[in-house]
Amino acid sequence: MKIAFVKQDVYQDLYVCPAGTKDAHALLFSSMMRVGPVGLFTELDTSFYIVDEDPAPECQIYRSVIPKIADDVKLLKTKTIEHLPGEEFKRPGSPYPNGHFSVPCRSIDWSDFDVVISINVSIPKDVIRQHPQVLFCYMIGEANLASKWAEFGYDVCLNQLISNNITSKIGGAVDFPYTFVGPHCLENLLRQELGRGSLQDGLYAEINMSSERPVQSPPDELKPLVDDGYRVRIHKQNIRENLQELYDAKYFVKLGGRLIRGNSVIEAVSCGTLVLLPRDTLIHEELIPEGCSVENLEELKEKVRYLDDNPLEYERLLNLQRDVVRKMCFENAVTSLERCLQDKRKIMSKGSFLSQVLQRKRRASVKTDLFLAKTATRFRKKYSRVRRALNLN
């Protein structure tokens, strides 16, 4: 299954690399902020593209997704993200703006691919119609327009959810996380980047425990751990620096703060870092198996002490979390894409059962129209006879 992963030159996240890039290492460390679906490049045959903003109405949907900065993101064609108003603290991985590598959407032969995945709506309807054998998918970047069916001329909507559901029909939504990675994906990339294994030292504090941006110091909830001699690692704005902190930590923790979807949890597990947090602070509670939920600082301290003294139990819990990521964040999503691709090609293939069904429906519709026309004609004739009998003409 050959895949193209696409974003417009106005998208304010993810990778900044030349058209056709396949190198997961180069892509990941070029990101403006987040890890994103880098598993597409480590585990599958995927090529990356930045395309020029298209004027088609569907390709302007980003303006309603991020209305407050819709005009500002046009600067990304010529500037990096830290030059946008209010984003001065950002530290993107690439020194280049999106526009440095963007190409016209119509310059790419999308028929070279089986599946095309677009962040927001990068490819207009008229281009999609020219490639009937390709499965076109889109994911709304901010996950605030998720729906149960595909729109904008696309076949599938990727909804940023994770689950045990596997979809086999086009036209609907596929559970597909924004952080689409395998259970060892980030760990392998960091080992390659750093040339060593993890230090397995300290606790990484989830970013939403802090209100400051950039994060300057450990959150207040974890300062008693610092006083007890534990190292508390904090979020870094640069993608490489942040992943190194996460990779070198032994635990990923969160106490308090807002409810989170779970992308940072998936990143931690893929880095080989055990996650400990209250399950009810996570939308996808299934990422936290039994034995990994802690409700307060005292429970966290007790759990860390116990796992430090019992390395086999630490490994068991980490492997449980890896199994969840493997199944629910990776394998199910891939299976859904494969089945949706099969479904589209079955529908589009000439003479297929589904095509015959559609033809029968069309014939039935024509027969219905003919029946109604004949009925109307008979009614008019009968009506005329009644009028003549009553001398109403």
Side-chain angles (χ1 to χ4, degrees):
M1 185 165 66
K2 290 185 64 178
I3 300 173
F5 181 67
V6 192
K7 74 171 192 176
Q8 286 192 112
D9 58 4
V10 290
Y11 187 57
Q12 74 283 8
D13 195 5
L14 297 183
Y15 326 120
V16 184
C17 281
T21 299
K22 291 174 171 280
D23 183 354
H25 185 271
L27 288 160
L28 175 62
F29 296 110
S30 75
S31 180
M32 294 188 196
M33 291 188 287
R34 299 178 181 89
V35 166
V38 74
L40 289 170
F41 304 92
T42 61
E43 311 297 330
L44 302 171
D45 182 9
T46 305
S47 302
F48 172 71
Y49 295 91
I50 304 174
V51 296
D52 300 338
E53 178 188 9
D54 194 279
E58 58 271 23
C59 294
Q60 297 293 307
I61 192 67
Y62 77 89
R63 300 186 67 83
S64 59
V65 174
I66 49 168
K68 292 182 179 179
I69 61 171
D71 292 328
D72 293 341
V73 294
K74 288 183 177 293
L75 293 172
L76 295 172
K77 298 171 186 283
T78 57
K79 299 180 182 295
T80 48
I81 193 169
E82 75 274 21
H83 293 100
L84 271 62
E87 305 293 330
E88 293 82 5
F89 63 94
K90 299 285 177 65
R91 291 187 57 206
S94 172
Y96 299 106
N98 281 335
H100 186 79
F101 296 117
S102 65
V103 297
C105 172
R106 289 169 174 79
S107 70
I108 302 167
D109 185 358
W110 302 110
S111 292
D112 287 342
F113 303 97
D114 300 299
V115 178
V116 174
I117 297 175
S118 168
I119 290 289
N120 291 330
V121 181
S122 306
I123 304 169
K125 292 178 184 178
D126 68 291
V127 173
I128 292 175
R129 294 192 192 103
Q130 296 169 25
H131 307 281
Q133 295 297 314
V134 180
L135 183 75
F136 283 90
C137 316
Y138 71 94
M139 177 190 289
I140 298 299
E142 296 302 311
N144 61 354
L145 290 180
S147 65
K148 295 182 180 179
W149 55 86
E151 301 178 83
F152 317 117
Y154 284 67
D155 301 305
V156 168
C157 169
L158 307 182
N159 58 17
Q160 295 203 29
L161 300 178
I162 68 169
S163 75
N164 278 317
N165 297 329
I166 294 177
T167 303
S168 59
K169 302 292 184 184
I170 64 169
V174 166
D175 294 338
F176 194 106
Y178 190 84
T179 304
F180 173 79
V181 293
H184 297 272
C185 170
L186 296 180
E187 183 179 28
N188 293 336
L189 288 169
L190 266 295
R191 184 180 292 111
Q192 176 188 350
E193 172 71 6
L194 300 174
R196 59 170 176 80
S198 166
L199 299 179
Q200 289 276 284
D201 174 37
L203 302 87
Y204 178 98
E206 200 269 339
I207 185 173
N208 289 293
M209 289 189 68
S210 301
S211 58
E212 56 185 2
R213 297 292 184 274
V215 181
Q216 300 288 347
S217 60
D220 291 341
E221 294 89 342
L222 298 182
K223 284 181 179 176
L225 288 174
V226 177
D227 295 338
D228 289 345
Y230 286 96
R231 178 171 185 172
V232 175
R233 299 174 181 271
I234 59 174
H235 181 274
K236 305 293 185 183
Q237 285 302 139
N238 176 267
I239 186 74
R240 183 192 184 280
E241 294 175 4
N242 187 58
L243 285 175
Q244 181 175 338
E245 292 293 325
L246 188 54
Y247 174 71
D248 279 336
K250 188 173 183 179
Y251 305 96
F252 172 99
V253 301
K254 181 179 187 297
L255 294 175
R258 70 174 180 85
L259 184 71
I260 60 173
R261 182 178 298 273
N263 286 301
S264 58
V265 172
I266 298 170
E267 289 177 19
V269 175
S270 186
C271 277
T273 304
L274 183 69
V275 177
L276 301 174
L277 49 72
R279 294 188 79 198
D280 60 5
T281 64
L282 193 62
I283 292 175
H284 292 295
E285 295 183 358
E286 54 271 41
L287 288 168
I288 306 300
E290 187 175 352
C292 300
S293 180
V294 293
E295 298 300 322
N296 51 53
L297 181 61
E298 288 306 312
E299 287 189 15
L300 175 61
K301 290 168 70 173
E302 182 180 348
K303 178 67 71 172
V304 167
R305 283 195 296 265
Y306 174 76
L307 293 175
D308 282 346
D309 293 336
N310 294 272
L312 292 180
E313 178 63 7
Y314 177 94
E315 288 299 320
R316 186 186 74 84
L317 293 177
L318 179 57
N319 286 333
L320 285 178
Q321 293 184 350
R322 287 197 200 267
D323 287 343
V324 173
V325 168
R326 177 186 296 106
K327 182 69 174 176
M328 300 181 67
C329 305
F330 186 83
E331 291 178 354
N332 289 350
V334 172
T335 301
S336 289
L337 287 183
E338 290 173 341
R339 293 187 180 181
C340 288
L341 175 62
Q342 292 169 5
D343 187 51
K344 179 170 186 181
R345 288 182 173 173
K346 189 183 296 183
I347 290 173
M348 299 307 296
S349 73
K350 187 175 181 180
S352 72
F353 170 75
L354 288 172
S355 291
Q356 293 171 18
V357 170
L358 292 173
Q359 290 169 11
R360 285 200 296 271
K361 285 184 177 180
R362 293 190 189 100
R363 287 196 294 269
S365 177
V366 172
K367 289 179 180 178
T368 299
D369 291 342
L370 288 173
F371 171 77
L372 292 174
K374 290 178 180 178
T375 301
T377 300
R378 286 196 298 269
F379 176 78
R380 285 195 296 271
K381 289 180 178 178
K382 184 175 181 180
Y383 180 67
S384 297
R385 287 198 299 271
V386 170
R387 288 182 62 86
R388 284 196 299 270
L390 295 174
N391 294 317
L392 296 177
N393 290 331

